Amino acid sequence: MPADNDLTDVDLVPGDVADPETPVPRTRAVKIYEIAVTLPIVAYIVLSLVRDPGAITQGNVPMWQILVWIVAIAGVDLMPVPTTMSSVAFSLSFPIELSVAMLFPVPVAGLIALLGTSDTREFRGELPLWKGFFIRAQIAAAAICESLVFKHLYPEWTRLGEDGYHAVVWKVGVAVVCASMVGYVINLGFVAIYNYFALGENPLGFIREVHAGVFGEFLISYMGLALFSVLVITGYSQYGIAAVGIFLAPLLFARQMFQRTHSLQRATDELAVKQAENEYQALHDSLTGMPNRMFFHQRLLDEIDQARATEGRMAVMLMDLDHFKEINDTLGHHFGDMLLQEIGPRLSGVLRDNDLMARLGGDEFGIVLPDLPSEEVALRVADRVLEELEKPVAVEGLALDVSGSIGIAMFPMHAEDAEALLRRADVAMYVAKENGGGYEVYQDSFDRHNPQRLTLIGQVRPALESGEFVMYYQPKVRLMDGRVAGAEALIRWEHPTLGLVPPDEFIPLVEKTVLLRPLTHYVAESVLRQWREWADMGIRIPIAINVSPRSLLDADFPDSIHQLLQDAQVPPAFLRIELTESFLMGDSGRSIAVLDALSNIGVGLSIDDFGTGYSSLSYLKRLPIEEIKVDRSFVMQMHVDANDFMIVRATVDLGRNLGLRVVAEGVEDLATFDRLADFGCDEAQGYYISKPLSVVEFTRWLSVRNLDRESGETADPDERRVPSRGLRAI
């Protein structure tokens, strides 16, 4: 469609932006521009024809032939030509207008172009009056300039229809090409200026856009159609108005090429959009829309290279939200997701313009701080982030309080490559978390808090497969008679290079990964298999295993335990599962169902480290708990601290009143052992009795103790207690 102007060679016209239903804004500047262009051109044509009326019939050209040219231009203009450019439209009538410019006197050529130029919107009443005049005047101006250039370059051209005249083809060709180029530039200039007033589009940028891509290549080749005007001129004296038919085939071909070019350009644009979407999705988090780990890592590499090249400084921050798991477990993952969606954009808003914040996964975020003039700038950014976190986050009417722990590592002071920088920022973050939140800048001394923490986690799965994990057993005795009441199984890692690794070094990391389930299964299977071996030797005692609260969110966990009990032929009553007291505060309906299922199987349930949390007594009544273990921090100091003494005594009384078995941990001397017996505590565990022992050592310990082979049975409450002095500390 010719739309709003024509680019002489391609009849380019200002269009109606991306949405054809939304017209180009016609501001006052646009209207003044339309009038300023239209009036002088129309005035020139009218005044020229008034001064020389004979110009219209020059060369004895009948008026009906002039009308044919006008109709030919209009007909081609009304043929729709698709284009991918939203701000302009195109027509294929320019070769006809170019021929008119060369065949007729200058004002007549302008008049034919003025009257012939058409737009379908005129017939639908969608085109403002002055805009329609502007479109026609623009094309007429191009035709006038083309006519002037052609006649200046080829002055031998005489009156039309002169008998015996034969045009020199090569001279005509040169003049036609020059004239078409001038008209093209004039038309392009009109449209570029129009778009500047209407859309604020930079004229040079618009010109580059017109000539870019597939369309730009076709546009240049399409100008070759101007050479068909040479055939019209040279054949006009012989064939007359029939020479117009010379354009029929090339114009139809050009229209078809435009349609194919348009389809190709659309396919190219759609592919580019799809690729951009795929790249965006690959580099951004689907939940928050923030950059993801891949984007973060690439940006970190780029900034390190830039800092290295300029001998500058940059920093990386790793931040973990505190207590985010409790929000997920208590309110549900929906609230956790909405919290993350709110937190990300809020924190990004306090960063510098060139900083980058990304969500690395879960509740962990990474921040890249390039171009740092000093370390103090990184600390100020960390302060702003933490201050922003202090503001409650509203999620569906609930005000949620969150905090964060941030670790900071600087380039090049702390590391000179991305992996080392991230590793040390992670170490600093764990130190910040252990210190109760806030931020920490990496120091070499921090590594002692976290030896091999980051490399160990990658070795857990191979260690499971190769059997590097072993179980140690710490015995428990009954305070009433001194008999062995059971044992607690404790996992150790016999690392091939690090030696015996305690659980505190790897369990907290495993709990955050998918390795928790296979490790828990490994522990339960190992303990039950060992129980069966001891039972075959005549040793039948309850064994307790520690289970992460996350395992109690696994609905398949009870079935897994039940199957392991059956496979090892272990009565369920001889297996106890110990849970931390903090579980009571973060439990959910799903975890309670898991506990009920375990209790129905016959497995005993115990609350470990009792007294260190904030559990409610209602939980002890509602959950199928049969044992509480008084935390060692109270038991070890009860003989020197009156408060600890009272806490232990009250806990024992509480357990007895609720019908629960009470076990005291951390018993390390005879005085504590005897005092607990006086309180009526049921069982004791600690170094006074024995440290954790390997399977071989534990079996030997039992032999030395001359264990009653049926000691797993409950003793008679009225039986006299064997003096504790008969125990031998190991």
Side-chain angles (χ1 to χ4, degrees), residues 1-14 73 76-77 81 88-98 117-118 135 138-139 142 146 183-184 187-188 191 219 222 258:
M1 231 183 325
D4 306 343
N5 299 26
D6 286 295
L7 221 203
T8 334
D9 297 328
V10 192
D11 285 359
L12 177 70
V13 295
I73 294 173
V76 174
D77 273 351
V81 177
V88 294
F90 296 89
S91 167
L92 299 178
S93 62
F94 93 91
I96 304 177
E97 295 160 359
L98 183 59
T117 300
S118 302
I135 292 172
Q138 169 193 332
I139 304 304
E146 290 166 349
Y184 179 87
N187 185 207
L188 183 64
V191 178
L219 183 62
Y222 177 59
F258 252 116

Side-chain angles (χ1 to χ4, degrees), residues 222-399:
Y222 177 59
M223 289 185 61
L225 283 176
L227 296 177
F228 280 95
S229 299
V230 177
L231 299 179
V232 174
I233 294 173
T234 56
Y236 188 80
S237 60
Q238 183 176 354
Y239 302 109
I241 192 62
V244 177
I246 294 174
F247 286 114
L248 182 60
L251 287 181
L252 291 176
F253 173 75
R255 183 170 181 270
Q256 185 178 18
M257 288 299 296
F258 252 116
Q259 290 175 326
R260 292 185 178 180
T261 301
H262 174 65
S263 299
L264 178 60
Q265 187 68 54
R266 281 187 58 183
T268 302
D269 292 343
E270 290 173 0
L271 179 60
V273 170
K274 187 63 177 177
Q275 289 176 335
E277 290 177 355
N278 292 339
E279 289 178 2
Y280 182 88
Q281 292 173 0
L283 297 174
H284 289 77
D285 174 54
S286 59
L287 176 64
T288 63
M290 300 176 66
N292 62 11
R293 182 180 293 274
M294 184 182 299
F295 193 128
F296 174 81
H297 194 263
Q298 185 58 53
R299 176 68 181 277
L300 177 59
L301 292 174
D302 293 342
E303 294 300 341
I304 288 177
D305 289 342
Q306 179 66 23
R308 185 178 291 115
T310 60
E311 297 184 354
R313 285 182 285 192
M314 57 85 58
V316 62
M317 293 182 179
L318 293 182
M319 182 184 74
D320 191 75
L321 298 182
D322 300 329
H323 313 302
F324 180 75
K325 182 181 182 300
E326 284 79 355
I327 294 175
N328 262 343
D329 292 344
T330 305
L331 300 177
H333 289 276
H334 171 67
F335 275 84
D337 290 346
M338 295 188 68
L339 175 63
L340 292 175
Q341 291 172 340
E342 292 289 333
I343 285 290
R346 175 191 287 191
L347 297 183
S348 298
V350 305
L351 302 179
R352 302 176 303 165
D353 292 340
N354 59 339
D355 296 339
L356 171 76
M357 184 173 187
R359 183 190 177 206
L360 306 183
D363 60 335
E364 185 178 10
F365 297 85
I367 302 174
V368 176
L369 303 174
D371 302 326
L372 285 181
S374 65
E375 180 179 318
E376 285 69 23
V377 175
L379 302 186
R380 286 200 297 269
V381 171
D383 281 328
R384 289 202 298 266
V385 170
L386 294 174
E387 288 173 3
E388 194 66 28
L389 280 177
E390 291 177 357
K391 302 175 183 177
V393 180
V395 177
E396 293 190 353
L398 292 178

Side-chain angles (χ1 to χ4, degrees), residues 20 143 375 396 552 620 640 656:
E375 180 179 318
E396 293 190 353
L552 300 180
L620 298 179
V640 295
R656 293 174 63 86

Side-chain angles (χ1 to χ4, degrees), residues 27 29 418 687:
T27 62
Y687 273 43

Side-chain angles (χ1 to χ4, degrees), residues 425-533:
D426 194 43
V427 169
M429 182 187 72
Y430 273 102
V431 173
K433 187 173 287 291
E434 291 170 3
N435 292 339
Y439 67 80
E440 292 286 347
V441 180
Y442 174 80
Q443 300 177 26
D444 291 338
S445 60
F446 286 171
D447 280 334
R448 63 184 176 83
H449 294 277
N450 205 6
Q452 299 87 30
R453 181 191 294 267
L454 300 177
T455 55
L456 277 176
I457 191 63
Q459 302 172 7
V460 170
R461 190 180 297 277
L464 281 171
E465 296 172 353
S466 60
E468 294 176 11
F469 291 101
V470 296
M471 303 307 300
Y472 275 54
Y473 297 87
Q474 186 172 31
K476 296 185 287 185
V477 301
R478 289 185 298 197
L479 288 160
M480 175 182 293
D481 54 18
R483 293 180 177 179
V484 175
E488 179 181 359
L490 303 167
I491 191 170
R492 299 289 186 268
W493 185 352
E494 291 184 340
H495 196 279
T497 58
L498 301 177
L500 200 65
V501 180
D504 290 346
E505 295 294 338
F506 61 90
I507 291 296
L509 292 177
V510 172
E511 286 184 318
K512 297 181 179 181
T513 71
V514 295
L515 297 173
L516 178 62
R517 177 184 284 189
L519 184 62
T520 303
H521 186 276
Y522 178 89
V523 169
E525 184 180 35
S526 300
V527 167
L528 294 177
R529 186 171 59 247
Q530 183 59 52
W531 188 95
R532 171 43 52 196
E533 292 181 9

